[in-house]
Amino acid sequence: MKLMLTLLTLATVLPLTFQSSAAPLPLMPYPATVKSAPGHFSTAIRQSGPAAPLTVSLPADFPPELAAQSQYLLAHLSQRLSAQAGREVPVLLAKDKSKALLQIEFQQLITLPQPGDDESYQLQIKAQQIQLQAKNSTGVLYGLETLAQLLDCTVQPCQLPLVQITDQPRFSWRGLMLDSARRFIPLPDLKRQLQGMASARLNVLHWHLTDDQGWRFASNHYPRLTELETAGEFYSQQQMRELVAYAAKLGIRVVPELDFPGHASTIARAYPHLMAAAGPYATERGFGVFAPVLDVSSSQVAEFIEKLLTEVVQIFPDPYLHIGGDEVKPDHWLANSAIQQYMRQNKLPDAAALHADFNLRLARQLTSLNRRMMGWDEVLHKDLPLSVLVQSWQGQDAVAASVRAGHPTLLSAGYYLDQPMPTSFHYRNDPVGVAQPLPQLTATSALQLEFSLLRLNNKPVQGQMLLVPATVDKSSGTSNDTPPQVRLRVPNRGLLAARQVQQSTRSGNSSGNSSADSSGNSWQFALDSWLGPGEFQLTQQADGQWQASVMIGNTPYPLQISATSTVTDFSTWQAPVKGLTAAEQHLILGGEAALWSELVPADLLDLKLWPRLYAVAERLWSPASVQDEASMYQRLQAMDHYGARLGLQHQQQQQQALRRFTADPAQQAALVVLTEVVEPAQYYSRHHLKTVRGQYHLDAPLDRFADALAAESLTLQRLQLQLEALDCRQPESMKALSLQFQRWQQAALKLQNYQGLQQPRIRQLATELAQTSDIALQWLAARQQHQSPSQQQLQQWQAALWQITSAFDEEVLALAHTLQPLLRQCLTGPQGR
């Protein structure tokens, strides 16, 4: 079938020659190929005056049974264009097809998205005509999303650039996991996220419906699950069907997750006879990993699961069903005599084998219901059917282990958006990043350090670090020199290679020695891990002791070095000796962002997700070669506003949260400015602080300033780009920076006598902002007078900024860390660079 829609607009007539686009367009995810031509397509859309309708024509032989879908496409186009234009843009059927300017062609109507659907499209905007072609209606929807993002209404009338786009996703599975179990998410909030997902070309909603803190799936067979545990906050079967249908129209599949056999406190409270240990059980209000686990040897449990799954598959038509399977505590299994007898009868030597046996039976149950099982890393076992999809929260090495075992696999580690992190960290996190082997080590010797990273929950991360000095190939001058390398190893986490490694002697000169003797040397390097993006600094003192620290995101952590040794055998540091084969890489279907809801209530959902989810979507959609972080941040700024125009509420939710702090309009305005320079403490710093303070539970209020903050300040990202491009010979750039810091300083002064929620913390942050702004303004004043601060002054400033950064709580004045590079700028002479 061929569907043609036509859009009546005004057009500028220009001869076209399409060439590869030099400057990136404001698109996210970025298309596979983009070619641009000079000129533009000028629409009839204006922000004032009568609203000129966009007319759409359909072929005369358009099948009547598809009328509803055609109306939906027109309404979707109208909604997206109206959002960009800031006013309603009517889309109507045209009577005169000869005036058709937008042509959309596709052969297949998709009413229920399936894994493997062709999602490609081609969009060509010429001076007199727009053409959108796709294999099916899902591709059409994605093409319309791109068209809407391209609409520029900063000029009047609104314009479209002349482009030729050929686009298709890199990965077929591009998902978002939302946790409705720990904290309930109302249906309208879920639908709003689906709209955002469609605009980001995400195609799977992974819906986490059950956990220790809540059971949200209304079961007809087992009504006590929702009667006892959810205080009326659950989804009826009709509501779940409604969401599935709503998602399908947007090209999005819905995969439900019901957790078995662990994370089962809600089952324990409602039906204690199904558990491995006798009750009684109470409602779980805390967060963490808990003991209740199903009695997997019981026939009653098998019947319970069978009846539940029969209900689930009648509501969710997707071929995949997620069974959780993670974080199972075996204590109750090992203490249960009936379960021990079952293990002996079935020759199951340990709890891992018992868990694998349960998963095998569960996979067979799902197969009988025409479904494929999906589970977290812990389900992986040599006896697991190869049809089971493994989702990894443990990292790249776990992904490699899964695909090498023959399983289709998804990556979620590095995409946990409830864990505040720089967007660039998520952006660098490639699902097939483990495919490439580590480079060979060519030095004759290196230093091996034993380290302990002290976390806020009093559970240190311990491992080893290898410092490999630079080598010089004396036989050929410097052409074959190898730079210094650093590797890090933690048990059960594999090997990690650092980037941006710098080694210097005490005098500050770069070390060209191949010897491992680095007494008095310092090392700086960046390393992405499951913890987040790390910036490491290590300095060996004259007495041989090491002084070390690491910034995880914006938060400093102490690093203890307990022992050092010189190694010459690198065999244990070379793994993996090979990357993934092409067949193994093909098993990596994509990835899912995850937003666990321990610290994310529904009224902050958008604030914690958007706009950075666009960056994860780009990593999963766009070619692997799309890696420019500066371009990503520039386009993310545009998506911040685009998403708000679409109806995402991240900006609105922040404003509502800030209004709870004070009723004083002047102080409210100052708090808005403060959000530009303060970020939540990143990694799991907030979770760990709440744990040690006894505040990590459902009854603890989420009313700190950190709760009103996005994970990352895009204002500080702009500042960082300004600092990197700073030319001290240009007075205007220095003046612009001075005005920015003066603005922040004025906001700090307004908050010195702040009266309202979180008063001590807000006042402290205001004091730190005033100090930081003062340092910046002193530096700028000196540079504008062509003076360089003394080394002693620079050290004092750097120490003050480090003290501010180190005085973090659940919030961090991230400006202090961002400012550090400024102090090292323009010190090469009186005129700067």
Side-chain angles (χ1 to χ4, degrees):
M1 180 202 71
K2 177 179 178 181
L3 173 63
M4 177 183 293
L5 300 107
T6 63
L7 170 64
L8 177 61
T9 66
L10 303 177
T12 301
V13 181
L14 289 173
L16 289 184
T17 302
F18 288 101
Q19 298 179 343
S20 296
S21 181
L25 296 168
L27 293 172
M28 212 166 199
Y30 209 72
T33 62
V34 179
K35 295 182 178 180
S36 299
H40 60 268
F41 184 101
S42 182
T43 73
I45 303 172
R46 297 179 180 274
Q47 291 182 338
S48 60
L54 302 179
T55 59
V56 176
S57 70
L58 300 175
D61 58 349
F62 187 78
E65 64 270 17
L66 300 183
Q69 180 68 9
S70 70
Q71 290 299 321
Y72 179 80
L73 286 171
L74 302 187
H76 188 75
L77 175 61
S78 173
Q79 188 270 337
R80 293 302 199 240
L81 295 178
S82 299
Q84 277 288 62
R87 62 168 300 170
E88 184 180 0
V89 178
V91 176
L92 304 175
L93 289 173
K95 296 180 180 179
D96 186 354
K97 291 194 295 183
S98 65
K99 296 181 180 180
L101 290 179
L102 171 65
Q103 298 180 334
I104 301 179
E105 300 178 1
F106 66 92
Q107 290 78 44
Q108 182 185 7
L109 177 68
I110 301 293
T111 56
L112 185 65
Q114 294 291 324
D117 284 346
D118 190 322
E119 299 172 300
S120 64
Y121 68 91
Q122 297 82 43
L123 175 66
Q124 186 165 350
I125 305 175
K126 300 179 181 179
Q128 294 179 306
Q129 187 180 68
I130 303 173
Q131 294 178 334
L132 175 58
Q133 297 178 333
K135 294 291 181 64
N136 56 53
S137 54
T138 300
V140 169
L141 284 170
Y142 292 152
L144 293 177
E145 297 291 355
T146 298
L147 182 65
Q149 286 184 18
L150 287 171
L151 186 66
D152 179 9
C153 290
T154 61
V155 294
Q156 293 296 305
C158 301
Q159 297 178 352
L160 290 163
L162 304 186
V163 293
Q164 188 177 66
I165 292 174
T166 301
D167 201 11
Q168 68 279 328
R170 180 181 173 208
F171 294 104
S172 62
W173 193 301
R174 307 175 308 281
L176 169 65
M177 192 289 305
L178 289 178
D179 175 11
S180 291
R182 290 177 175 86
R183 296 185 190 270
F184 184 72
I185 305 175
L187 211 62
D189 297 309
L190 289 169
K191 289 181 176 180
R192 188 173 62 252
Q193 308 319 310
L194 288 168
Q195 287 288 342
M197 289 175 64
S199 73
R201 326 300 192 264
L202 294 171
N203 64 355
V204 179
L205 173 65
H206 170 174
W207 198 0
H208 188 72
L209 287 165
T210 74
D211 215 299
D212 291 295
Q213 296 76 19
W215 184 284
R216 311 301 179 183
F217 178 92
S219 167
N220 293 330
H221 286 296
Y222 301 100
R224 286 171 60 84
L225 290 167
T226 49
E227 288 172 357
L228 290 181
E229 292 304 319
T230 54
E233 293 184 328
F234 61 88
Y235 306 103
S236 70
Q237 296 195 359
Q238 178 55 39
Q239 286 176 315
M240 291 183 282
R241 288 190 177 93
E242 179 185 338
L243 192 76
V244 169
Y246 188 91
K249 287 185 176 180
L250 293 167
I252 297 171
R253 300 159 43 213
V254 180
V255 175
E257 178 182 354
L258 278 69
D259 240 323
F260 306 121
H263 286 284
S265 296
T266 48
I267 303 175
R269 173 79 191 284
Y271 300 99
H273 66 283
L274 299 176
M275 309 310 292
Y281 291 95
T283 300
E284 185 55 66
R285 305 294 293 174
F287 300 127
V289 181
F290 302 101
V293 61
L294 290 172
D295 179 356
V296 295
S297 70
S298 167
S299 59
Q300 290 179 305
V301 168
E303 181 184 2
F304 169 78
I305 292 177
E306 181 181 4
K307 289 182 177 179
L308 269 178
L309 294 180
T310 300
E311 289 188 272
V312 172
V313 300
Q314 291 173 354
I315 297 168
F316 295 95
D318 197 82
Y320 284 94
L321 196 152
H322 205 302
I323 58 88
D326 61 315
E327 298 179 325
V328 176
K329 283 193 169 185
D331 304 44
H332 289 180
W333 284 344
L334 300 178
N336 184 302
S337 58
I339 294 177
Q340 292 298 300
Q341 177 65 22
Y342 177 86
M343 292 174 66
R344 288 190 293 270
Q345 289 175 348
N346 291 275
K347 299 179 180 180
L348 304 173
D350 51 30
L354 177 64
H355 189 192
D357 173 76
F358 170 77
N359 288 331
L360 179 60
R361 288 182 281 132
L362 189 52
R364 289 170 178 165
Q365 279 183 296
L366 285 169
T367 299
S368 70
L369 294 170
N370 198 29
R371 294 294 186 272
R372 300 176 197 168
M373 190 173 103
M374 180 177 173
W376 297 101
D377 286 297
E378 291 90 332
V379 303
L380 186 61
H381 190 272
K382 62 181 179 62
D383 296 328
L384 192 69
L386 294 182
S387 61
V388 174
L389 173 61
V390 176
Q391 183 170 6
S392 179
W393 64 271
Q394 295 179 346
Q396 297 279 4
D397 287 295
V399 169
S402 178
V403 297
R404 283 174 176 145
H407 289 274
T409 306
L410 300 176
L411 177 67
S412 278
Y415 300 139
Y416 272 33
L417 300 188
D418 58 300
Q419 182 182 15
M421 282 296 175
T423 307
S424 54
F425 168 69
H426 305 304
Y427 195 66
R428 289 191 298 269
N429 188 45
D430 195 297
V432 294
V434 76
Q436 300 302 320
L438 297 177
Q440 293 296 303
L441 300 174
T442 58
T444 57
S445 64
L447 279 179
Q448 182 172 293
L449 312 182
E450 306 289 331
F451 74 87
S452 180
L453 190 153
L454 306 180
R455 294 191 294 180
L456 300 174
N457 61 352
N458 301 318
K459 296 179 180 179
V461 173
Q462 297 176 325
Q464 296 175 319
M465 197 180 299
L466 190 71
L467 307 181
V468 186
T471 61
V472 177
D473 187 343
K474 297 179 180 179
S475 65
S476 58
T478 61
S479 61
N480 292 326
D481 291 0
T482 58
Q485 297 185 54
V486 174
R487 291 189 183 170
L488 184 142
R489 177 167 60 201
V490 173
N492 301 318
R493 292 290 185 173
L495 282 176
L496 297 169
R499 53 191 175 86
Q500 301 171 3
V501 180
Q502 297 181 20
Q503 178 196 7
S504 59
T505 63
R506 192 182 303 167
S507 61
N509 296 323
S510 175
S511 173
N513 260 324
S514 62
S515 169
D517 179 14
S518 57
S519 177
N521 285 350
S522 65
W523 292 74
Q524 296 182 22
F525 56 91
L527 188 145
D528 288 346
S529 73
W530 76 99
L531 298 170
E535 296 179 14
F536 290 75
Q537 293 195 6
L538 295 82
T539 301
Q540 191 174 26
Q541 309 298 320
D543 61 0
Q545 298 299 307
W546 287 85
Q547 181 180 354
S549 65
V550 58
M551 292 284 293
I552 302 181
N554 61 16
T555 309
Y557 280 81
L559 193 66
Q560 292 182 350
I561 307 298
S562 58
T564 65
S565 59
T566 300
V567 296
T568 57
D569 180 4
F570 301 141
S571 58
T572 61
W573 288 94
Q574 298 282 15
V577 295
K578 63 178 182 178
L580 299 178
T581 66
E584 289 166 346
Q585 291 185 49
H586 187 70
L587 286 172
I588 301 176
L589 303 185
E592 283 188 358
L595 191 78
W596 302 102
S597 61
E598 287 94 338
L599 303 185
V600 185
D603 61 355
L604 296 176
L605 180 63
D606 300 50
L607 176 61
K608 304 305 180 180
L609 267 181
W610 305 98
R612 62 196 178 121
L613 185 56
Y614 283 109
V616 177
E618 179 159 290
R619 179 52 54 233
L620 299 175
W621 176 284
S622 302
S625 58
V626 178
Q627 296 181 355
D628 189 322
E629 292 179 19
S631 168
M632 179 273 290
Y633 274 117
Q634 180 183 4
R635 290 177 289 116
L636 194 66
Q637 301 273 354
M639 300 313 295
D640 182 30
H641 300 292
Y642 177 71
R645 290 193 293 270
L646 288 187
L648 297 176
Q649 294 182 4
H650 51 290
Q651 296 176 359
Q652 178 182 335
Q653 287 178 353
Q654 183 174 69
Q655 293 166 4
Q656 291 172 343
L658 291 175
R659 281 196 288 269
R660 293 195 288 263
F661 279 74
T662 176
D664 185 325
Q667 291 193 337
Q668 281 184 3
L671 285 176
V672 171
V673 177
L674 192 62
T675 66
E676 298 173 1
V677 295
V678 178
E679 294 174 341
Q682 292 176 344
Y683 173 52
Y684 278 131
S685 302
R686 294 193 65 206
H687 300 68
H688 292 166
L689 284 170
K690 287 183 179 297
T691 297
V692 298
R693 292 168 176 171
Q695 299 171 349
Y696 196 46
H697 54 82
L698 280 169
D699 301 314
L702 294 175
D703 58 358
R704 288 192 64 106
F705 194 55
D707 294 303
L709 297 172
E712 177 184 39
S713 167
L714 294 182
T715 300
L716 290 185
Q717 282 300 321
R718 287 197 300 271
L719 175 65
Q720 184 172 322
L721 293 176
Q722 283 180 273
L723 297 182
E724 291 173 356
L726 181 64
D727 187 341
C728 294
R729 296 167 297 185
Q730 297 295 327
E732 287 303 314
S733 63
M734 307 288 279
K735 182 179 179 181
L737 278 175
S738 295
L739 291 173
Q740 178 69 290
F741 282 102
Q742 287 170 13
R743 175 173 170 271
W744 286 331
Q745 190 179 57
Q746 291 165 4
L749 292 174
K750 291 179 181 177
L751 292 171
Q752 281 186 340
N753 297 314
Y754 167 78
Q755 302 287 334
L757 191 66
Q758 297 288 311
Q759 178 178 306
R761 183 59 178 149
I762 297 297
R763 288 187 178 184
Q764 180 186 0
L765 290 167
T767 299
E768 293 172 351
L769 176 56
Q771 294 171 346
T772 303
S773 299
D774 184 59
I775 290 172
L777 290 170
Q778 287 185 60
W779 183 93
L780 288 164
R783 291 309 309 155
Q784 287 172 325
Q785 296 173 14
H786 306 295
Q787 297 176 357
S788 292
S790 67
Q791 189 65 29
Q792 181 182 7
Q793 180 68 81
L794 285 174
Q795 290 175 350
Q796 290 176 352
W797 286 343
Q798 288 174 334
L801 293 176
W802 178 250
Q803 184 177 5
I804 290 171
T805 301
S806 301
F808 70 91
D809 198 294
E810 293 190 33
E811 306 84 9
V812 177
L813 188 83
L815 174 63
H817 184 61
T818 305
L819 188 58
Q820 287 276 6
L822 176 66
L823 302 183
R824 298 187 289 270
Q825 291 278 71
C826 308
L827 299 180
T828 57
Q831 298 302 316
R833 37 177 192 171

